[in-house]
Amino acid sequence: MAHTLPARADSRPTITVVIPAFNEAHIIRRCLAALAAQSDPADEIIVVDNASTDGTVAVASSFAGVRVISEPRAGVTFARTAGFDAARGDVIARIDADSLVTPDWIRRLRCAFDSSDLDAIGGGAGIAELSPGQLCWFGWWYRGFRFWHERAIGVRPMLYGFNSAMRREAWERARTLVAADDELVSDDVDVTIALLRTGHRLRFDPRIGVRAKLFRSIDREKLARYYRTDGITLARHRFGRRSRWIESDV
């Protein structure tokens, strides 16, 4: 496992931000610029190059303080695990390459994890496609989606990859229960259940916000795929709503 970052002078938790990236040169600059503009900067930023063939590495490397690591095995589970294992902060925060964090995102995360009664947290989201400038609008739509999805699968509170964080020690304990390769699982559901099964305390806080491109996932083919992988993930863990379990045939 990774070494640990030096303790902060204020004794608050150090935070590593992990961003899995595959061919994200066209969008990751905005993501990293939003991180660079934080009122309370991250202690470490890791971009995981997941076998990109465009200029993702060059763009990420152009930002001071960004560490680029390589994961040649294609797939979000491989990239996520490589980034989480390389993280040296007390807290591992995860976003997508198209997540645009609000200016106080790190500050709010640091305040949340300054409490001893929290192991992992999921944040709120505005819809990037409908949020002009620096505004973060339509968070109510995302909260409605969360409510529906959590009830549908029987898992709450969910930690979605475009805006979530956990203590590094929680990841190290839950890691053995998480899918080891890019098999047919829902990555977000898999990690959330692993944390719940290992007794960790999870919370949702809508004030820890990002703007995310949520509309890109709303088409019939993607929703059908998510429905199936959710069910396979629930069955894999024998967790959540039993009526949604789908036994994998691979």
Side-chain angles (χ1 to χ4, degrees), residues 145 148 214 216-230 244:
F145 165 78
W148 167 81
L214 301 176
R216 66 179 183 175
S217 299
I218 305 177
D219 69 59
R220 184 172 298 179
E221 183 178 337
K222 284 186 176 181
L223 289 174
R225 185 166 65 249
Y226 292 153
Y227 187 94
R228 176 167 173 76
T229 56
D230 277 0
R244 284 291 312 276

mmCIF file of all heavy atoms in Angstrom, residues 145 148 214 216-230 244:
data_model
loop_
_atom_site.group_PDB
_atom_site.id
_atom_site.type_symbol
_atom_site.label_atom_id
_atom_site.label_comp_id
_atom_site.label_asym_id
_atom_site.label_seq_id
_atom_site.Cartn_x
_atom_site.Cartn_y
_atom_site.Cartn_z
ATOM 1 N N PHE A 145 -33.096 11.163 -8.270
ATOM 2 C CA PHE A 145 -32.504 9.951 -8.835
ATOM 3 C C PHE A 145 -31.906 9.080 -7.731
ATOM 4 O O PHE A 145 -32.083 7.859 -7.728
ATOM 5 C CB PHE A 145 -31.416 10.305 -9.850
ATOM 6 C CG PHE A 145 -30.533 9.135 -10.197
ATOM 7 C CD1 PHE A 145 -30.956 8.150 -11.068
ATOM 8 C CD2 PHE A 145 -29.285 8.994 -9.593
ATOM 9 C CE1 PHE A 145 -30.155 7.051 -11.363
ATOM 10 C CE2 PHE A 145 -28.478 7.898 -9.873
ATOM 11 C CZ PHE A 145 -28.917 6.928 -10.764
ATOM 12 N N TRP A 148 -34.649 7.223 -5.858
ATOM 13 C CA TRP A 148 -35.192 6.111 -6.652
ATOM 14 C C TRP A 148 -34.203 4.954 -6.731
ATOM 15 O O TRP A 148 -34.574 3.790 -6.522
ATOM 16 C CB TRP A 148 -35.521 6.595 -8.059
ATOM 17 C CG TRP A 148 -35.774 5.447 -8.986
ATOM 18 C CD1 TRP A 148 -36.932 4.731 -9.106
ATOM 19 C CD2 TRP A 148 -34.830 4.851 -9.873
ATOM 20 N NE1 TRP A 148 -36.760 3.724 -10.028
ATOM 21 C CE2 TRP A 148 -35.488 3.773 -10.515
ATOM 22 C CE3 TRP A 148 -33.496 5.131 -10.200
ATOM 23 C CZ2 TRP A 148 -34.854 2.971 -11.453
ATOM 24 C CZ3 TRP A 148 -32.860 4.335 -11.140
ATOM 25 C CH2 TRP A 148 -33.536 3.271 -11.752
ATOM 26 N N LEU A 214 -24.792 14.373 -16.172
ATOM 27 C CA LEU A 214 -25.677 13.266 -15.823
ATOM 28 C C LEU A 214 -26.542 12.810 -16.995
ATOM 29 O O LEU A 214 -26.942 11.648 -17.055
ATOM 30 C CB LEU A 214 -26.566 13.670 -14.646
ATOM 31 C CG LEU A 214 -25.820 14.080 -13.371
ATOM 32 C CD1 LEU A 214 -26.803 14.558 -12.317
ATOM 33 C CD2 LEU A 214 -25.003 12.915 -12.830
ATOM 34 N N ARG A 216 -25.765 12.210 -19.984
ATOM 35 C CA ARG A 216 -25.133 11.301 -20.937
ATOM 36 C C ARG A 216 -25.482 9.841 -20.651
ATOM 37 O O ARG A 216 -25.312 8.987 -21.508
ATOM 38 C CB ARG A 216 -23.610 11.474 -20.905
ATOM 39 C CG ARG A 216 -22.964 11.047 -19.594
ATOM 40 C CD ARG A 216 -21.463 11.227 -19.624
ATOM 41 N NE ARG A 216 -20.840 10.750 -18.393
ATOM 42 C CZ ARG A 216 -19.530 10.700 -18.205
ATOM 43 N NH1 ARG A 216 -18.716 11.093 -19.163
ATOM 44 N NH2 ARG A 216 -19.036 10.263 -17.064
ATOM 45 N N SER A 217 -25.944 9.560 -19.429
ATOM 46 C CA SER A 217 -26.268 8.179 -19.057
ATOM 47 C C SER A 217 -27.727 7.829 -19.316
ATOM 48 O O SER A 217 -28.133 6.690 -19.098
ATOM 49 C CB SER A 217 -25.960 7.952 -17.571
ATOM 50 O OG SER A 217 -24.588 8.160 -17.310
ATOM 51 N N ILE A 218 -28.502 8.805 -19.757
ATOM 52 C CA ILE A 218 -29.934 8.560 -19.920
ATOM 53 C C ILE A 218 -30.236 8.182 -21.360
ATOM 54 O O ILE A 218 -30.622 9.018 -22.187
ATOM 55 C CB ILE A 218 -30.752 9.798 -19.501
ATOM 56 C CG1 ILE A 218 -30.405 10.208 -18.075
ATOM 57 C CG2 ILE A 218 -32.245 9.508 -19.599
ATOM 58 C CD1 ILE A 218 -31.116 11.454 -17.613
ATOM 59 N N ASP A 219 -30.002 6.951 -21.697
ATOM 60 C CA ASP A 219 -30.518 6.382 -22.932
ATOM 61 C C ASP A 219 -30.851 4.927 -22.664
ATOM 62 O O ASP A 219 -30.371 4.329 -21.701
ATOM 63 C CB ASP A 219 -29.544 6.548 -24.105
ATOM 64 C CG ASP A 219 -28.286 5.715 -23.972
ATOM 65 O OD1 ASP A 219 -28.400 4.480 -23.874
ATOM 66 O OD2 ASP A 219 -27.182 6.295 -23.982
ATOM 67 N N ARG A 220 -31.711 4.356 -23.484
ATOM 68 C CA ARG A 220 -32.269 3.042 -23.187
ATOM 69 C C ARG A 220 -31.199 1.966 -23.061
ATOM 70 O O ARG A 220 -31.245 1.121 -22.160
ATOM 71 C CB ARG A 220 -33.267 2.671 -24.286
ATOM 72 C CG ARG A 220 -33.983 1.348 -24.032
ATOM 73 C CD ARG A 220 -35.090 1.132 -25.027
ATOM 74 N NE ARG A 220 -36.116 2.176 -24.912
ATOM 75 C CZ ARG A 220 -37.190 2.227 -25.703
ATOM 76 N NH1 ARG A 220 -37.369 1.321 -26.638
ATOM 77 N NH2 ARG A 220 -38.077 3.191 -25.539
ATOM 78 N N GLU A 221 -30.201 1.994 -23.944
ATOM 79 C CA GLU A 221 -29.175 0.958 -23.921
ATOM 80 C C GLU A 221 -28.337 1.022 -22.649
ATOM 81 O O GLU A 221 -28.069 -0.001 -22.009
ATOM 82 C CB GLU A 221 -28.273 1.097 -25.152
ATOM 83 C CG GLU A 221 -27.205 0.028 -25.262
ATOM 84 C CD GLU A 221 -26.369 0.180 -26.524
ATOM 85 O OE1 GLU A 221 -26.844 0.801 -27.488
ATOM 86 O OE2 GLU A 221 -25.232 -0.332 -26.539
ATOM 87 N N LYS A 222 -27.923 2.229 -22.257
ATOM 88 C CA LYS A 222 -27.119 2.371 -21.046
ATOM 89 C C LYS A 222 -27.912 2.006 -19.803
ATOM 90 O O LYS A 222 -27.405 1.334 -18.900
ATOM 91 C CB LYS A 222 -26.581 3.797 -20.931
ATOM 92 C CG LYS A 222 -25.419 4.102 -21.859
ATOM 93 C CD LYS A 222 -24.853 5.479 -21.588
ATOM 94 C CE LYS A 222 -23.639 5.751 -22.454
ATOM 95 N NZ LYS A 222 -23.062 7.093 -22.183
ATOM 96 N N LEU A 223 -29.167 2.441 -19.740
ATOM 97 C CA LEU A 223 -29.982 2.134 -18.572
ATOM 98 C C LEU A 223 -30.206 0.631 -18.439
ATOM 99 O O LEU A 223 -30.184 0.087 -17.325
ATOM 100 C CB LEU A 223 -31.317 2.867 -18.662
ATOM 101 C CG LEU A 223 -31.252 4.386 -18.465
ATOM 102 C CD1 LEU A 223 -32.615 5.014 -18.723
ATOM 103 C CD2 LEU A 223 -30.758 4.735 -17.072
ATOM 104 N N ALA A 224 -30.391 -0.057 -19.571
ATOM 105 C CA ALA A 224 -30.555 -1.509 -19.524
ATOM 106 C C ALA A 224 -29.284 -2.183 -19.026
ATOM 107 O O ALA A 224 -29.332 -3.145 -18.245
ATOM 108 C CB ALA A 224 -30.932 -2.031 -20.913
ATOM 109 N N ARG A 225 -28.127 -1.672 -19.445
ATOM 110 C CA ARG A 225 -26.848 -2.238 -18.995
ATOM 111 C C ARG A 225 -26.652 -1.998 -17.505
ATOM 112 O O ARG A 225 -26.218 -2.893 -16.772
ATOM 113 C CB ARG A 225 -25.706 -1.641 -19.801
ATOM 114 C CG ARG A 225 -24.347 -2.258 -19.480
ATOM 115 C CD ARG A 225 -23.305 -1.892 -20.513
ATOM 116 N NE ARG A 225 -23.006 -0.476 -20.539
ATOM 117 C CZ ARG A 225 -23.331 0.334 -21.548
ATOM 118 N NH1 ARG A 225 -23.995 -0.138 -22.595
ATOM 119 N NH2 ARG A 225 -23.013 1.613 -21.519
ATOM 120 N N TYR A 226 -26.976 -0.779 -17.049
ATOM 121 C CA TYR A 226 -26.836 -0.478 -15.627
ATOM 122 C C TYR A 226 -27.763 -1.369 -14.791
ATOM 123 O O TYR A 226 -27.387 -1.833 -13.707
ATOM 124 C CB TYR A 226 -27.169 0.988 -15.351
ATOM 125 C CG TYR A 226 -26.184 1.985 -15.921
ATOM 126 C CD1 TYR A 226 -26.594 3.272 -16.257
ATOM 127 C CD2 TYR A 226 -24.849 1.643 -16.130
ATOM 128 C CE1 TYR A 226 -25.705 4.193 -16.787
ATOM 129 C CE2 TYR A 226 -23.961 2.561 -16.661
ATOM 130 C CZ TYR A 226 -24.394 3.828 -16.990
ATOM 131 O OH TYR A 226 -23.513 4.732 -17.516
ATOM 132 N N TYR A 227 -28.987 -1.574 -15.286
ATOM 133 C CA TYR A 227 -29.933 -2.405 -14.550
ATOM 134 C C TYR A 227 -29.359 -3.805 -14.363
ATOM 135 O O TYR A 227 -29.425 -4.370 -13.263
ATOM 136 C CB TYR A 227 -31.254 -2.483 -15.312
ATOM 137 C CG TYR A 227 -32.354 -3.192 -14.550
ATOM 138 C CD1 TYR A 227 -33.253 -2.473 -13.774
ATOM 139 C CD2 TYR A 227 -32.495 -4.577 -14.613
ATOM 140 C CE1 TYR A 227 -34.265 -3.110 -13.062
ATOM 141 C CE2 TYR A 227 -33.504 -5.229 -13.904
ATOM 142 C CZ TYR A 227 -34.380 -4.489 -13.136
ATOM 143 O OH TYR A 227 -35.370 -5.131 -12.435
ATOM 144 N N ARG A 228 -28.784 -4.360 -15.411
ATOM 145 C CA ARG A 228 -28.238 -5.716 -15.324
ATOM 146 C C ARG A 228 -27.006 -5.758 -14.417
ATOM 147 O O ARG A 228 -26.891 -6.639 -13.563
ATOM 148 C CB ARG A 228 -27.893 -6.231 -16.718
ATOM 149 C CG ARG A 228 -27.230 -7.608 -16.690
ATOM 150 C CD ARG A 228 -27.168 -8.249 -18.055
ATOM 151 N NE ARG A 228 -26.384 -9.476 -18.020
ATOM 152 C CZ ARG A 228 -26.804 -10.623 -17.527
ATOM 153 N NH1 ARG A 228 -28.023 -10.712 -17.016
ATOM 154 N NH2 ARG A 228 -26.034 -11.682 -17.529
ATOM 155 N N THR A 229 -26.074 -4.834 -14.594
ATOM 156 C CA THR A 229 -24.860 -4.887 -13.768
ATOM 157 C C THR A 229 -25.164 -4.590 -12.299
ATOM 158 O O THR A 229 -24.517 -5.147 -11.417
ATOM 159 C CB THR A 229 -23.777 -3.928 -14.294
ATOM 160 O OG1 THR A 229 -24.297 -2.587 -14.359
ATOM 161 C CG2 THR A 229 -23.296 -4.350 -15.674
ATOM 162 N N ASP A 230 -26.165 -3.745 -12.036
ATOM 163 C CA ASP A 230 -26.599 -3.551 -10.647
ATOM 164 C C ASP A 230 -27.036 -4.881 -10.046
ATOM 165 O O ASP A 230 -26.638 -5.247 -8.930
ATOM 166 C CB ASP A 230 -27.774 -2.569 -10.574
ATOM 167 C CG ASP A 230 -27.347 -1.112 -10.578
ATOM 168 O OD1 ASP A 230 -26.130 -0.846 -10.636
ATOM 169 O OD2 ASP A 230 -28.235 -0.240 -10.533
ATOM 170 N N ARG A 244 -33.898 -8.024 -7.031
ATOM 171 C CA ARG A 244 -33.066 -7.466 -8.099
ATOM 172 C C ARG A 244 -31.813 -8.292 -8.378
ATOM 173 O O ARG A 244 -31.052 -7.963 -9.279
ATOM 174 C CB ARG A 244 -32.655 -6.033 -7.723
ATOM 175 C CG ARG A 244 -33.766 -4.994 -7.884
ATOM 176 C CD ARG A 244 -34.112 -4.767 -9.355
ATOM 177 N NE ARG A 244 -32.930 -4.569 -10.160
ATOM 178 C CZ ARG A 244 -32.300 -3.382 -10.312
ATOM 179 N NH1 ARG A 244 -32.787 -2.318 -9.719
ATOM 180 N NH2 ARG A 244 -31.230 -3.274 -11.060
#
